[in-house]
């Protein structure tokens, strides 16, 4: 029997056992379980790696709904590690004010005049490079950091410097993205 098949069988045994009601005094209790699992050494060789990858698998199982399980596979372990790494380092970047802000001019195509600007936030990751919002916003949501991103104050000096650089008028609107 392959290790993954043995693991699936063990998970089925656990979930079947937990399907039976529990009794505490006169109360009958029903529970559901979500299980996240990974395989040694495919998904890690240290207890920390295995625990981290099992946690990622558990998060995926919880997202799928009650009473489910998810086994981390080799094909998604690189992406899982990247997501874990980005989530961990995004928290540090927010705390240390290390996110990058860019100002993108908004141009009226008929008059070719700058009518406003959009303030963009980017995350430069030490391992994965410059991350676009599509790469880190979902991870921020999953890690409970989205409110921290929303509450980041745009430094007035940065905006003033960028307004001068791009020759924005004081009436030009600035959108935050």
């Amino acid at each position: 029997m392959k290790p993954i098949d043995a693991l699936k069988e063990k998970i089925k045994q656990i979930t079947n056992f937990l399907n039976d009601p529990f009794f505490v005094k006169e109360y009958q209790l029903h529970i559901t379980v979500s299980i996240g699992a990974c395989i040694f050494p495919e998904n890690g060789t240290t207890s920390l790696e295995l625990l981290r990858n099992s946690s990622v698998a558990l998060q995926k199982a919880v997202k799928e709904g009650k009473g489910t399980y998810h086994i981390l596979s080799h094909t998604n372990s690189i992406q899982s590690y990247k997501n874990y790494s980005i989530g961990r380092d995004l928290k540090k970047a927010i705390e240390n004010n290390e996110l990058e802000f860019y100002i993108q001019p908004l141009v009226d195509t008929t008059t070719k005049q700058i009518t406003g600007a959009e303030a963009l936030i980017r995350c430069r990751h030490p391992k994965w490079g410059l991350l676009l919002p599509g790469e880190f916003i979902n991870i921020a949501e999953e890690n409970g950091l989205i409110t921290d991103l929303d509450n980041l104050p745009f430094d007035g000096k940065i905006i003033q410097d960028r307004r001068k650089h791009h020759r924005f008028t004081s009436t030009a609107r600035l959108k935050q993205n």
Side-chain angles (χ1 to χ4, degrees):
M1 183 180 275
K2 293 180 183 178
I4 192 132
D5 294 328
L7 181 57
K8 286 179 183 178
E9 186 59 37
K10 186 55 73 179
I11 289 171
K12 286 179 186 173
Q13 289 173 2
I14 292 169
T15 55
N16 286 339
F17 173 76
L18 293 174
N19 279 336
D20 293 336
F22 288 87
F23 291 91
V24 176
K25 296 190 179 184
E26 68 273 4
Y27 299 102
Q28 182 177 358
L29 305 174
H30 295 272
I31 64 168
T32 59
V33 64
S34 297
I35 298 174
C38 64
I39 299 174
F40 173 86
E42 182 181 317
N43 300 119
T45 56
T46 67
S47 58
L48 182 61
E49 290 172 327
L50 292 168
L51 186 60
R52 180 187 66 230
N53 287 329
S54 292
S55 178
V56 168
L58 177 59
Q59 289 174 4
K60 290 181 185 267
V62 168
K63 275 187 177 179
E64 292 170 14
K66 293 180 180 179
T68 59
Y69 69 90
H70 185 85
I71 300 172
L72 198 64
S73 71
H74 181 67
T75 56
N76 66 14
S77 62
I78 293 172
Q79 185 61 44
S80 296
Y81 171 73
K82 182 177 180 183
N83 290 350
Y84 167 79
S85 173
I86 290 170
R88 176 197 63 211
D89 295 337
L90 182 58
K91 183 171 178 51
K92 289 180 198 172
I94 292 169
E95 290 170 355
N96 297 330
N97 200 25
E98 296 172 345
L99 296 171
E100 298 178 11
F101 294 91
Y102 296 89
I103 301 294
Q104 176 176 298
L106 299 172
V107 179
D108 182 325
T109 56
T110 56
T111 65
K112 302 204 182 354
Q113 295 293 311
I114 296 174
T115 59
E118 188 172 29
L120 308 171
I121 187 169
R122 298 293 181 260
C123 178
R124 187 171 303 278
H125 191 272
K127 183 171 185 170
W128 307 106
L130 186 65
L131 303 174
L132 299 177
E135 295 177 279
F136 71 89
I137 295 296
N138 287 341
I139 295 169
E141 288 173 346
E142 290 172 7
N143 287 283
L145 300 172
I146 198 68
T147 304
D148 295 333
L149 284 178
D150 286 342
N151 291 333
L152 282 176
F154 278 97
D155 186 332
K157 182 177 177 345
I158 292 173
I159 293 172
Q160 288 303 325
D161 290 347
R162 298 298 166 95
R163 277 188 189 274
K164 288 176 191 172
H165 176 73
H166 290 291
R167 298 180 307 280
F168 297 140
T169 65
S170 61
T171 59
R173 61 196 156 103
L174 181 65
K175 290 184 356 182
Q176 190 173 323
N177 185 6

